[in-house]
Amino acid sequence: MALPADHKAHIIDGKLIAQTIRSEIASEVRVLVEKYGKAPGLAVVIVGTRKDSQSYVGMKRKACAEVGIKSIDIDLPEEVPEAELIAKVHELNADPSVHGILVQLPLPKHINEEKVLTEISLEKDVDGFHPLNIGKLAMKGRDPLFLPCTPKGCIELLKRTGITIKGKRAVVVGRSNIVGLPVSLLLLKEDATVTVVHSRTPDPQSIICEADIVIAAAGQAMMIKGSWIKPGAAVIDVGTNAVDDSTRKSGYRLVGDVDFNEACKVAGCVTPVPGGVGPMTVAMLLKNTLDGAKRVIGH
């Protein structure tokens, strides 16, 4: 289908949608507090002083406060022994006032990430990365206790924008454990026909241009051009890449994996970076924490 020359894609406002979800969560939290005198608790564990991790964690703590979720902050030094971190996780597993445990990734080199994540109680795995949660996500007719936050946010954006997933062709660009893989499994659960494109895929453009839904999570700045996008497609851009920009005070600006300006001329709808998927990831973390609390409080 040919688009008019002045076509402009609908820009999906992730900030606004996330705000709506946050107010839904806040009113549910109020009900729990009024009825049972207990608020959901989220423990955020951060190891070391990585700038990006610090800023993510700050965002999560602020979001908790806004909806009435109690944030339990655990700051550990960069050189903390793996055994000590695992002991801390066990302590949080046993604490009844904690309903969700989040260990901020990446962890320092000397710590085995898989080992630590497997120690988080399944009932408190609000990141959805426990192998059992991912395993259930991969199986038909099984439901994980928690879905990973970013993939869940992507699906929620599509649904709340009124996009049909069932029967549609979806292409996921990237196959990471955090986004690409779980979002492809989620799309499959929603009855899409799913293709995963990755760094070893020859001629990715030929596959992407057939997609009704594109989820870009490759970590390659502006890799997906306007000419790669099927006219009218829904484009969810998970990428956050810093590119040099001397006009900015910081010296850089954030761009996605999609060339946003080009995509706007072709796509039916597209998420901006920043202000698209990012706010949704935090909103889904709050939702998972609330769901974890609801399974325990009052039962």
Side-chain angles (χ1 to χ4, degrees), residues 36-230:
Y36 303 105
K38 287 178 184 167
L42 173 66
V44 181
V45 182
I46 182 168
V47 180
T49 53
R50 268 180 70 121
K51 278 273 180 291
D52 57 349
S53 291
Q54 293 277 5
S55 83
Y56 283 141
V57 167
M59 224 163 53
K60 288 165 184 171
R61 287 171 181 166
K62 196 168 146 248
C64 280
E66 191 191 306
V67 298
I69 289 175
K70 193 173 79 187
S71 181
I72 298 113
D73 304 340
I74 316 284
D75 290 280
L76 299 171
E78 182 82 30
E79 59 285 350
V80 69
E82 181 180 272
E84 202 175 305
L85 173 58
I86 289 173
K88 194 78 220 170
V89 168
H90 288 165
E91 196 181 303
L92 295 167
N93 283 342
D95 185 340
S97 70
V98 173
H99 305 100
I101 300 169
L102 178 127
V103 175
Q104 184 64 41
L105 304 178
L107 289 168
K109 290 275 179 281
H110 69 280
I111 294 175
N112 179 335
E113 200 168 278
E114 187 184 355
K115 202 169 162 188
V116 173
L117 295 182
T118 308
E119 291 298 325
I120 296 172
S121 153
L122 205 56
E123 286 76 23
K124 299 187 181 190
D125 173 39
V126 284
D127 246 344
F129 293 150
H130 193 288
L132 272 173
N133 272 326
I134 295 287
K136 285 189 173 191
L137 175 59
M139 294 169 89
K140 206 174 167 187
R142 308 277 169 94
D143 286 311
L145 281 174
F146 298 105
L147 296 173
C149 303
T150 303
K152 184 176 178 169
C154 293
I155 302 295
E156 199 64 32
L157 280 176
L158 290 169
K159 289 184 170 175
R160 290 189 184 232
T161 308
I163 290 146
T164 310
I165 303 174
K166 191 176 183 165
K168 291 290 165 60
R169 278 190 165 183
V171 171
V172 177
V173 188
R175 53 176 169 179
S176 73
N177 289 337
I178 294 175
V179 187
L181 183 78
V183 86
S184 66
L185 295 170
L186 261 178
L187 286 161
L188 209 48
K189 268 210 197 300
E190 295 288 341
D191 298 324
T193 302
V194 184
T195 309
V196 179
V197 165
H198 49 77
S199 57
R200 300 286 184 269
T201 306
D203 191 20
Q205 178 180 354
S206 64
I207 299 169
I208 294 167
C209 73
E210 293 194 337
D212 305 304
I213 297 168
V214 178
I215 310 248
Q220 297 289 322
M222 293 161 74
M223 161 191 156
I224 298 168
K225 305 295 170 201
S227 58
W228 296 26
I229 295 166
K230 177 179 175 175

Side-chain angles (χ1 to χ4, degrees), residues 229-248:
I229 295 166
K230 177 179 175 175
V235 179
I236 305 287
D237 192 350
V238 184
T240 36
N241 311 288
V243 295
D244 294 334
D245 184 347
S246 55
T247 66
R248 298 284 175 100

